[in-house]
Amino acid sequence: MDVQLYVYDLSNGLARQISAPLLGTFIDMIYHTSIVIEGVEYTYDGGIKALESGKTHLGPPLQVVNLGRTELPMEVILEYLDSMKDTYTKEAYNLWTNNCNNFSNDFSMFLLGKGIPEHITNLPSTFLNSPYGRALMPEINKMVDRRNRKQGALLGLGTDDDAPPKPGQVDSSVRHISSMPKLESALEEAKRSSAMIFFTSENCPPCKTLYPLYDRLAEESVHKCILIMVDVSRAYNIGTKYNIRSTPTFMSFLHGVEQERWSGADPAKLQGNIQMLAQMAFPQHAHENLDLPALRASNTHPVLFSKVPPLGKLKVKMGAIAEDAAVSGILHFVSIRAEKNPSEATLPDMEAFSRFLRSAPSKLPIETMFTIVDLLRLALVDSRVTGYFAEEKNHFTISPLITYVNDLENCPYPLRLVTLQMCCNLFSSPLYPPHILKCPSLSSPIVELITTSLLDSTHHNVRVAAAGLAFNMTTANFKTRKQEGREGLPESDQIELAACLLEAISVEEQSPEALKGYLLAFGYLVYCVPAGGDLVDLLKSMDAQGTVLSKKKLFADEKLILDIGNTLLGQGLK
């Protein structure tokens, strides 16, 4: 997809006329920018807005800059935008340090690995570096503040309803299909679940009465049933192939096999059939009928490690490497983020830092590697950084660092601990976990790091961090299991995690905190586990239920013990 930068002049040409005599420096225009993809204009003004390109009250852009092409799927882009909403809020808007141009720069960095032209992002400093600009700053701030209070934004480009779609919205909408190859592709995809085809036509009033219901059902049945709409007045070949004689006509499919066909605008029948299809595709698991108050009440937000150490000391420990441009850029980013506000920290050169990380294990001594991994940990707290590494061309940057630690014969305690914490922070954005789950080159080193750390009898903090990382992995897999009806993490990794977690549970005798972490990770690993797999056989052979329930003697107050014991009993996993 092509990525464009739309550039507007908020001064309407006035800056070009008066900037030189007033400020002593020439300013071409007061820039407002937005990123345009597929006819949608994304910008920041009192929140992130998604608008039809070129249709705002600002009129057509004065410049259109072709930034490049992105291969990222739209679902990933929308998820990234959703993760950015907490950074680019109405309250965080600042004309000088956190404005539309900062947003465009960050978004471009994510999409293409490069920012927007520097003369745009440098405009505030150019203005404020002049004596007259500094004198005007307080009055301009008051004007912006009054306008923000009045309409919730500087430019009033839209309301909160214009916010970018939420993750999954692309999947949860009706698929309008007009070609046979696209229909066949959608039905092939639906072999893992179910599908409904709504055959409509342009001159069909009864069809149109069902459109709102069909849209709502698409949102409700996301991942369980793919809802398709075909206008046979335009897609004649599809109508002919499926012998459609009237509209509305519906066809349902379960795991790729046609189930039923009927005609007529019956809302109750349509809703009932789609709900039944979703239920047949994903029948309720036996665990869902169990009373598990402690497990279900637990928070599934990822465990993150965001504490910032004294950055001056960290820089001293780095030595000469701290002066490397890629490292100093990240240090500055982390410093601004910690001292001021995340929204005021502009992304540095992520591509340079990514290259640096890939070469670090072969070039740097162990003591310096600790500081670099710790710096990466701090950067990954920001979802923009995690989002960058989630891009397909970048998400393998992390695995060599983990492999390096795993391969050390006697890994120093601080390096192992900070590597576990860094891996936990990969889950700060919803974009990275899918890569971890589906890529063995990522999941396997992380699982190995967890399993070699869970049983570290000499370092309590390592065990706790390993339990946190295991929890992040198993809850991410559980969410995929429940939302999409499939396993995210390979079964071999699940088996390795289960065996190690059971052993950690069995030997833990002192730390309630560590035991709770093990139980939560193990609980979400086995909750709603598919029957008949090797993981189920392992749990039976290891007497998983007996192992968990035996901890009641030492940890009588831990309610998760009974819940997980009942979960194992609920599927016969004794």
Side-chain angles (χ1 to χ4, degrees), residues 8-19:
Y8 301 86
D9 179 14
L10 298 182
S11 74
N12 293 318
L14 192 61
R16 185 180 295 108
Q17 297 174 29
I18 67 171
S19 58

Side-chain angles (χ1 to χ4, degrees), residues 521-540:
F522 183 71
Y524 280 105
L525 184 61
V526 302
Y527 184 57
C528 293
V529 61
D534 291 340
L535 177 56
V536 171
D537 292 339
L538 172 83
L539 296 171
K540 290 178 180 177

Side-chain angles (χ1 to χ4, degrees), residues 122-256:
N122 289 340
L123 177 63
S125 60
T126 301
F127 181 82
L128 295 177
N129 281 340
S130 68
Y132 196 70
R134 288 193 294 274
L136 283 176
M137 182 181 176
E139 290 304 314
I140 294 174
N141 285 341
K142 290 178 183 178
M143 179 193 72
V144 171
D145 185 55
R146 285 195 300 269
R147 192 172 180 92
N148 281 342
R149 285 201 303 268
K150 183 177 179 180
Q151 60 185 34
L154 175 63
L155 304 175
L157 291 177
T159 66
D160 289 341
D161 295 333
D162 299 314
K166 295 179 180 179
Q169 188 167 324
V170 171
D171 292 329
S172 65
S173 60
V174 174
R175 303 192 187 186
H176 295 266
I177 290 177
S178 58
S179 70
M180 189 64 73
K182 288 187 177 180
L183 179 59
E184 290 172 349
S185 175
L187 291 176
E188 180 66 28
E189 180 185 344
K191 284 183 177 180
R192 296 183 303 181
S193 53
S194 61
M196 180 74 72
I197 306 179
F198 179 172
F199 294 98
T200 182
S201 58
E202 192 171 358
N203 299 314
C204 174
C207 296
K208 295 176 183 178
T209 64
L210 295 176
Y211 290 171
L213 172 63
Y214 205 58
D215 287 336
R216 177 170 64 80
L217 292 172
E219 293 181 7
E220 293 175 356
S221 56
V222 61
H223 298 308
K224 295 182 178 180
C225 185
I226 295 175
L227 270 58
I228 300 165
M229 187 176 287
V230 175
D231 186 340
V232 293
S233 63
R234 299 181 179 182
Y236 303 106
N237 57 334
I238 296 178
T240 300
K241 177 177 179 178
Y242 288 96
N243 196 26
I244 303 303
R245 299 179 181 275
S246 63
T247 56
T249 292
F250 300 89
M251 290 179 65
S252 62
F253 295 81
L254 179 63
H255 301 309

